[in-house]
Amino acid sequence: MKKKFKRYAAIAGVVLLLAVFCLPMVFAFGSSGESQTLFRGALAAAFLVPVLAYIILMVYQMLNKRKPQQEEERMIENIIFDVGQVLMAFEWEKYLKGFGFSEEKYEKIADATFRSSVWDERDRGCFEEEEYLRQFCALAPEYEADIREVLRRSDETLSCFPYSKTWTQYLKSQGYHLYILSNYSDYMLRKTRKDMSFLKYMDGVVFSCEVKELKPEEGIYRKLLDTYHLDPDKSVFLDDRAANCEGARKLGIHAIQFESFKQAAAELEKYGVK
């Protein structure tokens, strides 16, 4: 309907311009003073109308460029972000080395905490924090005091990337719907949520600890899609882990494995997101 209207408007514009150009000729052969006056007026209109039409066209194009791309023309409407290593840096190695442990102690504590299966399962949020602490300590009981201190301050491992706020703000201003889908423990979320400046631009969030599901399990993706009524084919998911991207693709969601801001922005452009 919109395209037909534009076509008809263009035809009407051409006819109007032709009429304006031909009008001086109608009065050119008249001998009366009134005919000469009309001729001059028609001649002036023949010059002024195209100029005004050009100016109006330029203004329209400038205003149209400022508007977000219409959703009906978009392949992607929804952009879904992981948090860790996408919008926030997760630098646990640097953090743990800051304790000055010996190499042997560093490796054992790393295996008992950040590299353990308990760390991932903690994101599911099925138990209280103290239960997870007990499980961490059981993996290296000789270092229980150090493990507890490492985990107590573990929110120090996370910080927003410099681009996270401006990127999400820009995408929101372009009319995209933004969402969070992240594996995140309740303890870390309570400690770091206040630092997530990008949350104000989100249309919805799903954190694993709040829904008791983990990526790449099917349930957490379905939770996001069902809660916010998202069309998978019009959604793209950014995550740093290949398995999590594959989990999204199994449900028909487009996915980009995040490596860097520049790389991800280039990949999004292939989906028409600019």
Side-chain angles (χ1 to χ4, degrees), residues 5 33 45 66 93 101 113 123 131-132 135 196 201 206 221-222 227 232 234:
F5 174 76
R66 293 177 186 174
E93 296 100 332
F101 299 138
T113 55
D123 289 343
E131 171 57 23
Y132 289 115
Q135 293 180 28
M196 299 179 184
Y201 306 114
V206 172
Y221 300 97
R222 289 203 178 278
T227 300
K234 289 187 174 293

Side-chain angles (χ1 to χ4, degrees), residues 141-189:
E142 67 274 30
Y143 298 124
E144 178 173 350
D146 292 308
I147 288 172
R148 285 183 174 273
E149 180 60 15
V150 164
L151 293 170
R152 184 183 71 81
R153 295 169 44 199
S154 56
D155 58 293
E156 296 175 24
T157 60
L158 285 160
S159 61
C160 280
F161 283 119
Y163 59 76
S164 61
K165 182 180 178 180
T166 53
W167 191 23
T168 51
Q169 182 181 29
Y170 169 76
L171 291 171
K172 186 69 176 177
S173 73
Q174 295 303 296
Y176 292 100
H177 304 298
L178 309 183
Y179 301 89
I180 292 293
L181 181 64
S182 183
N183 287 352
Y184 223 101
S185 73
D186 179 66
Y187 179 81
M188 294 289 273
L189 187 56

Side-chain angles (χ1 to χ4, degrees), residues 18 36 62-63 102 105 111 131 152 166 173 187 194 200 214 235 241 243:
L18 286 173
Q36 293 304 309
M62 286 175 64
L63 292 174
S102 67
K105 188 174 182 179
D111 287 340
E131 171 57 23
R152 184 183 71 81
T166 53
S173 73
Y187 179 81
K194 65 183 184 301
K200 68 177 77 172
L214 290 177
S235 306
R241 294 187 178 184

Side-chain angles (χ1 to χ4, degrees), residues 34-94:
E34 187 179 348
S35 295
Q36 293 304 309
T37 300
L38 289 172
F39 169 71
R40 287 193 292 272
L43 191 63
F47 284 102
L48 288 174
V49 169
V51 171
L52 288 172
Y54 178 77
I55 291 171
I56 292 169
L57 179 63
M58 291 298 99
V59 171
Y60 171 79
Q61 289 179 338
M62 286 175 64
L63 292 174
N64 203 44
K65 281 182 181 178
R66 293 177 186 174
K67 293 179 181 178
Q69 185 182 3
Q70 295 299 311
E71 289 186 9
E72 62 199 29
E73 299 173 355
R74 287 176 167 167
M75 176 182 179
I76 295 297
E77 295 177 358
N78 314 303
I79 304 173
I80 307 163
F81 295 92
D82 179 28
V83 174
Q85 302 295 56
V86 176
L87 296 177
M88 296 185 81
F90 177 47
E91 300 176 297
W92 70 264
E93 296 100 332
K94 179 181 176 181

Side-chain angles (χ1 to χ4, degrees), residues 222-256:
R222 289 203 178 278
K223 184 71 175 177
L224 178 77
L225 295 175
D226 294 345
T227 300
Y228 300 107
H229 311 290
L230 305 186
D231 180 351
D233 194 47
K234 289 187 174 293
S235 306
V236 61
F237 176 52
L238 287 79
D239 195 293
D240 62 303
R241 294 187 178 184
N244 294 343
C245 291
E246 187 56 34
R249 292 188 187 106
K250 286 180 180 178
L251 273 80
I253 304 169
H254 302 285
I256 295 170

